[in-house]
Amino acid sequence: MTLDADAIVERRRLRRRLYLWRGITLVLAIGLAVALGVFAGGGMSGKGSPHIARVTVSGMILADPGQRKMLKEIASSDAVKAVVVFIDSPGGTTVGGEELYGGLRDIAEKKPVVATMGTLATSAGYMTAIAADRIFAERTSI
């Protein structure tokens, strides 16, 4: 009877080792697949790879230092090749609208800027749109 118990214990140890090596092999295979995908795709796209920036303007337009900083970074980045501005805003403050207009005009001096209007682009939202080189609006946009 001890031989049977020892055989069962040994079989369980072998099975655990087999699961361990299968798990290690699976993790390595997944890591290799991810590495090949990143290598074949030219690396993970980030701020350094050429891209088109998307700026969304929605809700009330207010003076926002973070947004001003973001627009300056877009203007100075060589990786950003163009900017698409999505506008769906009822407007906002005159200062906020003028800041957004000025930031987009600074970008438009260096790169193409396109504005698309959603349902609503009134007041400062319209001011934002006219800062772009080209404006696209739906037939029912206000």
Side-chain angles (χ1 to χ4, degrees), residues 78-100:
D78 291 334
V80 176
K81 300 301 179 189
V83 178
V84 178
V85 183
F86 292 92
I87 304 167
D88 195 3
S89 171
T93 64
T94 54
V95 174
E98 287 177 1
E99 279 184 4
L100 198 51

Side-chain angles (χ1 to χ4, degrees), residues 74-134:
I74 290 172
S76 64
S77 174
D78 291 334
V80 176
K81 300 301 179 189
V83 178
V84 178
V85 183
F86 292 92
I87 304 167
D88 195 3
S89 171
T93 64
T94 54
V95 174
E98 287 177 1
E99 279 184 4
L100 198 51
Y101 176 86
L104 290 173
R105 284 311 309 154
D106 290 343
I107 295 171
E109 290 175 3
K110 303 172 187 172
K111 305 165 190 196
V113 177
V114 175
T116 62
M117 294 181 184
T119 304
L120 189 62
T122 58
S123 187
Y126 184 73
M127 186 188 310
T128 301
I130 62 174
D133 298 324
R134 194 111 195 219

Side-chain angles (χ1 to χ4, degrees), residues 47-92:
K47 290 185 178 182
S49 62
H51 61 278
I52 296 174
R54 175 183 175 167
V55 176
T56 302
V57 178
S58 61
M60 290 292 292
I61 298 173
L62 304 171
D64 184 7
Q67 188 176 47
R68 193 175 334 128
K69 180 182 174 194
M70 177 192 65
L71 293 174
K72 285 181 182 178
E73 288 175 3
I74 290 172
S76 64
S77 174
D78 291 334
V80 176
K81 300 301 179 189
V83 178
V84 178
V85 183
F86 292 92
I87 304 167
D88 195 3
S89 171

